[in-house]
Amino acid sequence: MNVTGTLIQRPASLPVPTSQSKSGIALLYNEESSNTSDVCLRLTRDALTIQKLDVVCTSGGQSQHRTVVLRRQAAGGLGLSIKGGAEHNVPVVISKIFKDQVADQTGKLFVGDAVLQVNGINVEHCTHEEVVHLLRTAGDEVTITVRYLREVPSFLKLPLGSPGLDQSRVSSLLFDSGCHLNGNSTAPPPPSPPANEPKYEKRWLDAVCMPLLMARVSRYKAGTDKLRSNCFEVFAWDGAGSSILQFCTAAESTDWLQAISSNISELTQENIKLLNKSCSSDDQVVHMGWACETPEGRSARRSSAFRFLALRGPYFYIFKSPPVGATDWGQPETTYNLYEVLFKVHKLWLAEDCWLQARLYLGLEHSPEQPDGDPLCFSILVGHGQSHTFRVELASDLATWEKSFQRAVFLEVQRVRCKSYMCSSQGSVLSFSVDFGSGFTCSDVTSKTVLWRYKFSQLKGSSDDGKTRVKLLFQNAESKQIETKELEFANLTAVLHCIHSFIAAKVASMDPLFMCSHSLPGPPMNS
């Protein structure tokens, strides 16, 4: 591992997406029932509201069931088509209502109504053909009882008149039985209903209101790395989900995903500011949010799982759920010292055009080197060669985590200033120190005698055996000769990460652009 690698340059600052309000139509898909329904999405700064169509009584009635009398005309039929049947484990549903015919003129029947009774006979467990027969032979006056299905069976979304899965069966759930139920001519207008008769209409009603504070979105199938097409889910902080939201085009899906993510990000930043007001300067939250941990290597058989990550004070926290109160912050799944972890982006994209690079950061465009479906991931390398790999949804998320790690590590190195590790060399027990001001120092533990000292700028390279031993190559300030120092540590990875963190912080402290973009106080410091 080379601890003197070059720092990757990033744009100093980018415009921050602001909260959005919008509304639109999507399809809500329930994986358990395979049913779908049209929904109206209403996005505000604080919440995503999902509305479903329902039939409501506008004259004060409360019953979900409606009983409607249809008077069959001599020259016409009932003016409706139906789909479904008990043989397919789905209800019989009105799939079409013909304009200006009997069913339409009542104003009480709607596409999506499940037929419950025909002339007092319960048909909820009847086959398609049985219901068709009842409607055909019911006489001139047909009384049907219906209930609107807010979650429409998926077959109702397919084109009318589809032959179905088995074209030889007239009773296929995809087949519209309507030719004998509706007439070929317009029926005369029915008599005016009594003034006190209930009136009905379709309306969008709130079904789910999802608070966006500490919420998350995901385009992937749960527990996998399989990307859904034009779909994503929204989850509240407590794990309650929205079911799958599906859109007509990839552009529309991306637009909604970014709008929701933008509002979540803004609420997170406000929450961080509020939290930091009651925290000491050494315990400030730099960034926090959701990411999906993807197992690798020996743990690859485990499924992916979402984790709530936080950069706060001296630690990098991993939680199973967001910390809501002070007690929760004391119960993380695991924590790591910030200066002993290494942040690594899996696939770095390169863009010559600066504006394109900025747009990629904001998630407004796909990376040219990241094909559709290629995940955006970063790893946290920790002690003893272990690591955690996390996946995010947007390139802007990846950029935010990278920039936040740079800031958090810099602040922590500034706070600690010096870190010492026990080590050994040629049988002697030594103390190896990394000091932000003076560089590297090695001293004898017993006598406290300083054996050697070098500035950061004198470190020219390093090599290690991947276990416990490392060789540090320093250039003598006077002779310009390379001097090799070989040391052995119990946790070599942590030491190398610490060296990397201190060097990165030292370089950053001398970069006015970095100091300004991160709003860090104090003039640049020289080695």
Side-chain angles (χ1 to χ4, degrees), residues 11 20 25 54 85 116 130 138 144 151 201 249 266 321 360 393 441 455 502:
Q20 300 184 36
I25 303 298
D54 205 346
L116 307 179
E130 288 171 340
I144 64 173
E151 191 174 83
E201 65 179 36
T249 65
E266 183 167 316
S321 59
L360 287 168
E393 295 294 325
T441 302
K455 294 181 179 180
F502 272 71

Side-chain angles (χ1 to χ4, degrees), residues 242-269:
S242 65
S243 292
I244 300 165
L245 296 172
Q246 186 172 10
F247 299 86
C248 295
T249 65
E252 187 180 9
S253 176
T254 300
D255 185 50
W256 271 98
L257 179 69
Q258 290 173 348
I260 295 171
S261 297
S262 176
N263 289 13
I264 292 173
S265 296
E266 183 167 316
L267 290 172
T268 299
Q269 291 305 312

Side-chain angles (χ1 to χ4, degrees), residues 55-75:
V55 173
V56 296
C57 181
T58 59
S59 56
Q62 298 296 323
S63 176
Q64 293 184 344
H65 294 181
R66 283 164 280 127
T67 298
V68 183
V69 177
L70 301 175
R71 294 176 176 82
R72 197 192 310 268
Q73 300 298 318

Side-chain angles (χ1 to χ4, degrees), residues 509 515 521-525:
S509 70
M515 301 294 287
M525 301 178 64

